[in-house]
Amino acid sequence: MKAITSLTALVLGATLATSAMAQTEAAPDSPDAETAEAQGSDGQSAAEGAHVLANGQSTDAVEMTDGRWRNDEGIPTFKVEDGVVDFATFNGFRRYHAECHVCHGPDGEGSTYAPALKESVLRMDYYDFMEVVASGRQGTNSVMPAFGTNKNVWCYIDDIYTYLVAHGTETIGRGRPAERADKPEEYSALEDSCMEM
């Protein structure tokens, strides 16, 4: 079973790496570069209501798929309405503090030996984030272990990502969100399927 799980993580890591390498930087006169230049320092686009991160990804929730909100590119994002946080982002807070905070600090604020993830996710492409979590990373003075085979991380990686982005953009503050939306049925079905693998 471990060999199958390790093989799955290896294939997943290679797939994510290929996806990340396929993306190219915007040319100086491309529409993406113009959008980045039009952003303010807070990451808000010049267009009213549109929020774009430094990495070019929108945080605007467009549709819910499998119980998680996604932007117009299908990348997971958060949705907060009247102080109520979507279930996946709330769960990301829980999962982050169960698995990630020991190294990266409470609320993704960072520590003396691991970076502040609430800042990294604003600059880092979603697919690069997934690759690092799945495969790990070795730095000069630190090592990020691979979590691609850890179901308590990998089954909830999109939730952890959306929580970090929501906190990094200061849409939600530090600590446990006060109110959350109910858990969607589609979310439960996907969670059960992932945990049973």
Side-chain angles (χ1 to χ4, degrees):
M1 180 66 175
K2 281 188 175 185
I4 292 172
T5 306
S6 296
L7 179 60
T8 303
L10 180 63
V11 170
L12 178 63
T15 303
L16 290 172
T18 303
S19 296
M21 286 188 282
Q23 296 180 351
T24 57
E25 290 186 27
D29 53 344
S30 73
D32 289 339
E34 290 172 15
T35 301
E37 287 177 16
Q39 289 178 350
S41 61
D42 64 353
Q44 184 161 345
S45 170
E48 185 73 27
H51 296 86
V52 180
L53 303 178
N55 64 18
Q57 293 171 184
S58 170
T59 62
D60 292 333
V62 174
E63 70 173 331
M64 183 179 275
T65 305
D66 297 328
R68 289 180 173 91
W69 284 100
R70 302 196 181 273
N71 69 11
D72 57 355
E73 297 177 51
I75 294 172
T77 192
F78 57 87
K79 186 165 187 171
V80 180
E81 289 183 326
D82 300 323
V84 178
V85 177
D86 67 280
F87 181 81
T89 301
F90 174 82
N91 193 49
F93 165 83
R94 293 175 51 229
R95 296 297 174 167
Y96 174 86
H97 285 86
E99 301 290 334
C100 312
H101 89 279
V102 172
C103 294
H104 292 282
D107 300 306
E109 300 283 331
S111 69
T112 56
Y113 52 91
L117 293 181
K118 73 170 197 150
E119 295 167 5
S120 298
V121 296
L122 302 183
R123 296 183 310 269
M124 192 177 214
D125 179 87
Y126 166 73
Y127 300 103
D128 291 339
F129 176 83
M130 298 288 281
E131 180 184 0
V132 170
V133 175
S135 305
R137 176 181 280 175
Q138 185 164 349
T140 321
N141 296 323
S142 63
V143 175
M144 162 81 180
F147 286 96
T149 58
N150 182 333
K151 291 181 185 182
N152 290 317
V153 173
W154 200 249
C155 290
Y156 304 101
I157 191 62
D158 286 345
D159 301 356
I160 293 168
Y161 176 79
T162 58
Y163 159 69
L164 289 167
V165 172
H167 181 50
T169 58
E170 298 181 4
T171 304
I172 61 174
R174 291 192 74 173
R176 185 181 182 98
E179 293 186 63
R180 68 162 173 84
D182 292 333
K183 187 177 190 178
E185 286 182 32
E186 302 91 355
Y187 183 102
S188 296
L190 191 62
E191 177 181 37
D192 291 345
S193 173
C194 184
M195 292 304 275
E196 289 173 3
M197 289 175 44

